[in-house]
Amino acid sequence: MQILKTVALSKVYGEGDTRILALDGINLEVEKGEFAAIVGTSGSGKSTLLHMLGGLDVPTSGEVFVDGQELGRMSEDEITIFRRRNIGFVFQQYNLVPMLNVRENIILPVKLDGRKPDFDFAKEIISVLGLEEKLSRLPEQLSGGQQQRVAIARALVVKPVVLLCDEPTGNLDSKTSQDVLGLLKIMGREYGQTIVMITHNEEIAQMAGRIFHIEDGRIVMDSGRFTRQGRGVNRE
């Protein structure tokens, strides 16, 4: 089942001499339960692509579909609600609320949506992520790896159709990075969670089940197919 799809997705910033083509006709599909990595250097367009997939920015042209819903057909209010209920985000900077403890940070997205948290499910993911003894602590009392675990739990508690991770190990040491990525893989297997992660690190990308390479706003390779000038060349 297809969860994410883009059709001829393009994004242009600025005009004239300051015009930047950030995305250039991206066609991408991600199936339910896939753990996909989008790899590229700084300025390649990977962050812009993630923002488009998450409805955080509006494309210049093309379409983005999440779970069969085209984001471009939604009003600003509709896309805000859709994003809150269907898309989980994990950022490099964690973005935890400093005055809330771990438990409060985790259930915050559900409460902001005016819904009652599924406490049994929250307890389950807290257990898998090893956060049971940290629930009363504030973010400043946690290590970087622990804060990222909280961010993952917060993203998953809404039961999103897709989890988007923006350089989730960028502030972590190599061992903690491996631990966090291992947990992401476990969450993907346990809950059939679709995960898309952007990174500049090829080694980290190898943890994913599928890898897309992006250069100059174009997907130039994925784990099963090379693309040259828009035409696919199968790899044996």
Side-chain angles (χ1 to χ4, degrees):
M1 179 181 176
Q2 196 178 82
I3 292 297
L4 284 177
K5 179 180 179 180
T6 69
V7 179
L9 186 67
S10 295
K11 181 64 178 182
V12 177
Y13 294 105
E15 297 179 354
D17 293 340
T18 62
R19 183 179 185 273
I20 298 174
L21 182 59
L23 296 179
D24 186 9
I26 295 282
N27 293 302
L28 176 147
E29 297 180 4
V30 178
E31 299 294 318
K32 179 176 174 59
E34 276 197 297
F35 183 2
I38 300 172
V39 186
T41 58
S42 178
S44 62
K46 62 183 186 298
S47 292
T48 301
L49 177 56
L50 195 81
H51 292 165
M52 298 294 163
L53 295 176
L56 296 174
D57 201 353
V58 179
T60 302
S61 61
E63 299 169 313
V64 178
F65 295 87
V66 178
D67 199 21
Q69 302 293 310
E70 185 189 347
L71 302 187
R73 294 182 178 272
M74 300 180 188
S75 67
E76 187 172 337
D77 288 342
E78 288 172 337
I79 201 169
T80 297
I81 294 171
F82 181 85
R83 184 171 59 232
R84 193 164 58 212
R85 295 179 178 176
N86 294 279
I87 304 173
F89 293 94
V90 178
F91 297 101
Q92 180 177 344
Q93 300 297 332
Y94 319 134
N95 290 349
L96 302 179
V97 180
M99 69 282 299
L100 299 182
N101 64 28
V102 168
R103 179 187 291 103
E104 293 164 337
N105 264 289
I106 290 173
I107 64 172
L108 180 62
V110 183
K111 297 188 72 173
L112 287 175
D113 197 34
R115 294 182 289 149
K116 181 179 178 180
D118 182 340
F119 289 108
D120 288 338
F121 179 67
K123 184 177 180 179
E124 186 176 341
I125 61 176
I126 285 168
S127 176
V128 172
L129 291 167
L131 293 169
E132 302 101 314
E133 298 181 2
K134 311 294 183 184
L135 295 177
S136 63
R137 295 192 182 184
L138 296 174
E140 65 180 13
Q141 298 173 306
L142 304 176
S143 68
Q146 290 167 346
Q147 290 188 62
Q148 195 60 291
R149 292 183 186 203
V150 176
I152 293 169
R154 180 185 59 187
L156 290 171
V157 78
V158 299
K159 302 179 182 178
V161 298
V162 62
L163 184 66
L164 302 180
C165 304
D166 186 355
E167 297 277 9
T169 62
N171 289 330
L172 306 176
D173 60 54
S174 58
K175 182 183 183 305
T176 306
S177 295
Q178 293 294 319
D179 291 344
V180 167
L181 290 171
L183 286 168
L184 281 174
K185 292 187 74 171
I186 289 171
M187 303 309 281
R189 288 196 304 266
E190 288 287 323
Y191 304 109
Q193 182 67 62
T194 306
I195 302 170
V196 177
M197 171 183 69
I198 67 167
T199 180
H200 66 278
N201 189 312
E202 291 278 355
E203 183 178 349
I204 287 173
Q206 295 300 320
M207 294 284 287
R210 185 179 183 187
I211 304 172
F212 297 93
H213 284 79
I214 186 169
E215 295 178 7
D216 300 322
R218 297 182 180 181
I219 299 293
V220 296
M221 187 184 84
D222 71 33
S223 55
R225 181 180 302 160
F226 285 100
T227 61
R228 293 185 178 89
Q229 297 181 350
R231 300 183 64 181
V233 179
N234 291 331
R235 293 177 64 190
E236 299 297 323

